[in-house]
Amino acid sequence: MRGKKPQPSGVWLGLMKRMCSNAVGLRRQLIAVCVFFSALPESVRAVQVPANFVLAQEAALRSEFARAESLAVVMKREQPADPTADYAMAAIEQMRLFGCEGTMSPAELKRRVQIAVRAGREQVARRPEAIWPRYVFGLSLGLSAVIAADEGSYWHAYRAGTESVEQLEEVLRREPGFSDALLALGAYHYWRGAAMRNWTWLPFIADTRSQGIREMKRAWREGATTQNTAPGMIVWALLKDADFHEALAISSEIAARYPANRAFVTARADALFGLRRWEEAAAAYTQAVGLYSADQFQCPGSVEARARRGIALAEMGKCSDALPDLRAAVLSPAHVGYGRDFKATQNRARVLLERCLEKGP
């Protein structure tokens, strides 16, 4: 699990990501944490959202992980039986692992998630009418499914993922106004549709990608805790669908708000790359590479950003500038942990490297 580049499937049920689409929305989000409870819609005022959870989420998005973790510790100390702190700590660490910034061992992360799942199950049994504990229980189950899938325990992943969806659907049945649950459900529907898109000719299989994006956008507009987390997940879906124009619009906003977040900066670069705006893409990948320290040089996210920067430079005809990145891409092992498209990126880098070497200086 350590050092994976952020992938949409992990972001689905590991959760925690991002933002809004106009100046009014941006200003509103800048003060969202300060006025959080007063901003909740009437229909969901009964949902008691821990204030420190919102603050920890914002800190993690800004890559201020020490602060995020300290807020989770405070939540655990104040409410030891509440699953929120254990889920928050695990989700924060999942974000760190994706960017090669993690400190928790995979075994400790798994243990933390198991604690959150147990605590969530107990809280739901004790207070079935409470919305927030059920919501966190659903998210914890989802993160458990992601970890199980990473370990190759696909049956456990299926069971935990299915129960996660059931719990989140129950949240919406009990409280239709709590649109936060639509983020994970929308991500599930999108990625399920993407996985099954070649089978939609069967009468019992539908392409649910559009449904998923609609649900995630609703969570973005209406969610109490997902206004700053939904946009990132939407961007990954848009990139998957090759909708690069909308992906660029949203990712530019996210990257501007969270300039230290490696995933968001890289997403913007990927959108520019998809639009073949080579000069801007190369500059954006340079920004992304700059967020990795020297000892993280072989982190998959850094390797892929350098590879794509080399491709962009070569496409511009700047072979002398592209050669170091292209060589690094060709020599990098395409092992487990790199994005699924890295092999294709590596092959493209190899072709361009050969072309540049043939041209000469």
Side-chain angles (χ1 to χ4, degrees):
M1 294 172 62
R2 187 169 299 277
K4 288 186 179 180
K5 180 185 176 185
Q7 291 297 304
S9 57
V11 173
W12 158 38
L13 291 166
L15 217 39
M16 277 205 162
K17 297 164 170 96
R18 340 347 161 180
M19 153 162 297
C20 209
S21 62
N22 55 46
V24 174
L26 179 56
R27 288 195 297 272
R28 190 179 76 197
Q29 289 189 44
L30 287 172
I31 62 172
V33 172
C34 300
V35 299
F36 180 74
F37 287 105
S38 63
L40 283 175
E42 286 291 336
S43 62
V44 295
R45 282 192 185 276
V47 180
Q48 298 178 353
V49 182
N52 280 336
F53 178 83
V54 181
L55 294 172
Q57 174 181 268
E58 179 70 9
L61 293 173
R62 293 185 180 281
S63 298
E64 298 169 359
F65 294 113
R67 172 167 167 72
E69 289 173 344
S70 68
L71 288 164
V73 169
V74 171
M75 284 190 285
K76 184 68 174 178
R77 184 172 64 245
E78 293 178 347
Q79 299 287 339
D82 191 314
T84 305
D86 289 295
Y87 167 73
M89 187 70 77
I92 291 165
E93 190 62 21
Q94 185 82 337
M95 292 177 69
R96 298 185 72 176
L97 286 169
F98 280 145
C100 298
E101 300 168 275
T103 56
M104 188 183 293
S105 70
E108 174 60 19
L109 174 60
K110 182 177 180 179
R111 188 187 72 84
R112 182 80 62 173
V113 174
Q114 290 171 339
I115 291 172
V117 169
R118 284 198 301 270
R121 196 179 300 280
E122 291 170 2
Q123 288 279 14
V124 168
R126 187 179 303 120
R127 302 169 55 212
E129 77 288 348
I131 300 301
W132 180 259
R134 188 182 296 274
Y135 173 61
V136 174
F137 179 41
L139 297 183
S140 300
L141 284 164
L143 189 48
S144 177
V146 170
I147 291 173
D150 284 339
E151 294 178 338
S153 302
Y154 298 113
W155 175 240
H156 174 76
Y158 171 77
R159 290 175 59 192
T162 299
E163 188 177 6
S164 171
V165 169
E166 290 172 351
Q167 292 298 328
L168 294 170
E169 288 176 340
E170 181 65 13
V171 165
L172 287 174
R173 190 187 71 79
R174 290 173 177 268
E175 182 50 81
F178 191 60
S179 299
D180 302 60
L182 287 171
L183 180 56
L185 287 173
Y188 164 75
H189 288 138
Y190 176 82
W191 295 107
R192 178 185 179 277
M196 303 297 290
R197 67 184 183 277
N198 294 328
W199 295 88
T200 53
W201 55 273
L202 293 171
F204 51 86
I205 295 179
D207 187 341
T208 54
R209 287 178 295 170
S210 295
Q211 174 191 348
I213 290 178
R214 287 196 305 271
E215 290 169 335
M216 288 189 284
K217 286 183 175 179
R218 183 177 163 192
W220 181 10
R221 294 191 307 269
E222 303 175 9
T225 64
T226 53
Q227 290 184 359
N228 292 341
T229 61
M233 295 176 70
I234 294 168
V235 165
W236 290 115
L238 294 171
L239 289 172
K240 176 75 173 178
D241 276 356
D243 189 348
F244 298 119
H245 287 286
E246 187 173 6
L248 177 60
I250 297 176
S251 62
S252 293
E253 254 185 285
I254 307 170
R257 179 170 170 82
Y258 301 111
N261 190 302
R262 297 173 180 181
F264 300 161
V265 173
T266 301
R268 178 175 178 272
D270 287 345
L272 289 164
F273 188 92
L275 291 169
R276 300 176 65 84
R277 290 163 58 170
W278 302 125
E279 185 172 1
E280 293 170 273
Y285 283 123
T286 295
Q287 182 185 357
V289 170
L291 295 174
Y292 294 86
S293 60
D295 63 336
Q296 297 167 335
F297 195 63
Q298 289 302 314
C299 179
S302 175
V303 171
E304 292 192 50
R306 288 190 65 204
R308 287 183 160 228
R309 180 177 65 181
I311 290 170
L313 290 168
E315 291 285 3
M316 295 165 59
K318 296 185 176 181
C319 280
S320 59
D321 294 331
L323 284 175
D325 288 341
L326 295 177
R327 287 193 174 106
V330 170
L331 294 174
S332 295
H335 57 70
V336 175
Y338 285 80
R340 293 181 181 179
D341 297 331
F342 182 69
K343 191 64 178 178
T345 298
Q346 190 176 48
N347 290 338
R348 188 172 176 185
R350 182 176 291 106
V351 170
L352 288 171
L353 175 61
E354 292 173 357
R355 185 184 304 171
C356 282
L357 291 174
E358 287 175 2
K359 281 177 58 178

